[in-house]
Amino acid sequence: MTIDPRLSADAPASPLPENGLFLADVWDGLGARRKSLPAKYFYDAAGSALFEKITVLPEYYPTRTELRILDERGPEIAARLPEGAALVEFGSGSTVKLRRLLRHLPGLSAYVPVDVSGEFLAEQARVLRADFPDLPVEPVAADFTQPFTLPPSLSGRPLAGFFPGSTIGNFEPAEAARLLDVFGRILGEGATLILGVDLVKDRDVLEAAYDDAAGVTAAFNLNLLHRINRELGGDIDPASFAHRALFNEAESRIEMHLVSRVAQTVRVAGRAFPFAEGESIHTENSCKYTIESFRALAARAGWSALDAWTDTDGLFSVHALRRAG
Ligand code: SAH
Ligand code: AVI
């Protein structure tokens, strides 16, 4: 994923990407010499629902492993947050991880889920309010890589951040550091950020997690093409593209691609994009770290390490970071 260079914590709020921006990004991405599409566009209502299916696949270890860490280390994690904090979750999705932490956070004063998948976010906020009527839930439908503002009702409260799921891995390291710096400016000096980071491991385990036997990850990847057809009037035949996931060891990242099965030309809103047989669209990176390599990245972005918790197999990590003064 890439970050808007104009991004700043105190810039004015921006709306969710309109179709104009989506179209511009698709034209840019498909028009490039090496074709790519921004991973944030995976998440329309259909994409968010597919992601939820991914999280319970046997091959997809990150979600269940992070949930176990949150369950086992909940009291220690909660102890890192200030009393009366408002918790801002970046890329909140189903909010399942917040629910696990909530039992350890009786003093939380508000919860602010921020997500680009607007319909899904609204539904999650509705259900959360019904389940936790005493917790003020203030959803923000926004692309967190673009300028956005937090609800004014939070002013004066200590803020803490929550960024689980290893969504940070979907940004290349330089972009990830920039994003962490922006989160630091949003949350303020001395703030705590709790975030999940997937760890480097055997290629076979990684590649299976992103190319499951049931084909759910393939459907998630291909949904991007369906979305282009639905929202931008594209004429792409998704069946003419194959899902591919591979571990790029030199870059320490899983890459997802959509590979054209044939030589073809697709059209999106009147513009034609030729594909050679075997040519790919790079749709996602999912960077994998060690505890040390992630701490070094966080330090470059102005965050110091407080704690890091892992599972006994060393598959996944949860970090507590403090924003330096
Ligand atoms: N935090 C959840 C969901 C992870 S999936 C979990 O740990 O299970 C990634 C989430 O981030 C999705 O809900 C997606 O809609 C959201 N997301 C991805 N890119 C985003 C962006 N640029 N701005 C806001 N939300 C984004
Ligand atoms: C949201 N993000 C951390 C997921 C990941 O593992 O990189 C998205 C995903 N892509 C394919 N499967 C899951």
Side-chain angles (χ1 to χ4, degrees):
M1 292 198 209
T2 53
I3 301 172
D4 187 311
R6 295 162 303 164
L7 182 59
S8 88
D10 43 25
S14 78
L16 279 172
E18 302 293 344
N19 275 359
L21 186 51
F22 183 25
L23 179 61
D25 285 343
V26 169
W27 274 10
D28 275 0
L30 296 186
R33 198 173 58 79
R34 300 175 74 152
K35 295 178 170 61
S36 67
L37 288 169
K40 68 183 176 190
Y41 292 117
F42 281 137
Y43 301 96
D44 62 353
S48 292
L50 283 163
F51 179 75
E52 288 315 306
K53 288 190 173 173
I54 289 175
T55 64
V56 293
L57 290 168
E59 296 94 333
Y60 195 75
Y61 61 85
T63 306
R64 62 174 174 272
T65 310
E66 188 178 29
L67 284 171
R68 203 176 313 129
I69 297 171
L70 295 178
D71 281 344
E72 288 172 2
R73 303 302 198 138
E76 290 166 66
I77 295 168
R80 287 301 188 180
L81 304 183
E83 186 63 24
L87 188 66
V88 181
E89 181 171 354
F90 301 99
S92 48
S94 72
T95 73
V96 64
K97 290 166 188 167
L98 176 272
R99 287 167 175 269
R100 295 297 178 96
L101 273 190
L102 266 183
R103 72 187 77 156
H104 305 292
L105 292 169
L108 202 67
S109 66
Y111 171 60
V112 184
V114 180
D115 206 288
V116 76
S117 191
E119 271 177 54
F120 194 75
L121 173 71
E123 176 59 12
Q124 295 304 319
R126 188 190 66 72
V127 178
L128 204 60
R129 283 190 184 113
D131 293 347
F132 299 91
D134 296 332
L135 177 70
V137 177
E138 309 235 29
V140 177
D143 175 348
F144 55 56
T145 66
Q146 307 278 328
F148 72 94
T149 45
L150 291 173
S153 58
L154 301 187
S155 93
R157 300 184 203 196
L159 298 179
F162 189 36
F163 194 27
S166 203
T167 303
I168 192 69
N170 297 133
F171 296 83
E172 292 175 42
E175 298 285 332
R178 217 174 115 64
L179 190 61
L180 289 181
D181 179 46
V182 169
F183 289 175
R185 284 185 281 134
I186 292 171
L187 298 172
E189 193 179 314
T192 303
L193 176 63
I194 306 292
L195 82 176
V197 180
D198 196 12
L199 298 174
V200 186
K201 57 187 66 64
D202 284 354
R203 170 184 297 275
D204 292 353
V205 177
L206 283 169
E207 290 185 348
Y210 291 83
D211 192 8
D212 61 280
V216 182
T217 311
F220 174 72
N221 200 4
L222 286 160
N223 178 56
L224 206 40
L225 302 182
H226 288 287
R227 184 174 181 190
I228 291 171
N229 288 345
R230 276 195 299 269
E231 295 183 25
L232 304 177
D235 74 348
I236 307 172
D237 174 12
S240 70
F241 286 84
H243 165 70
R244 181 180 296 158
L246 56 96
F247 183 51
N248 178 338
E249 203 167 346
E251 302 288 348
S252 196
R253 69 188 188 204
I254 281 281
E255 294 181 6
M256 293 209 315
H257 293 260
L258 290 166
V259 183
S260 183
R261 297 178 190 275
V262 291
Q264 60 178 322
T265 296
V266 306
R267 277 174 198 74
V268 180
R271 192 166 153 192
F273 301 95
F275 280 82
E277 182 182 342
E279 187 176 356
S280 89
I281 312 171
H282 187 171
T283 52
E284 188 180 58
N285 288 318
S286 195
C287 298
K288 309 302 171 186
Y289 291 92
T290 61
I291 301 282
E292 295 71 30
S293 67
F294 183 73
R295 282 182 164 171
L297 182 146
R300 289 205 298 280
W303 291 91
S304 55
L306 293 177
D307 289 301
W309 301 274
T310 60
D311 53 295
T312 48
D313 296 322
L315 295 175
F316 199 90
S317 60
V318 174
H319 294 247
L321 304 176
R322 168 118 332 133
R323 179 67 169 177

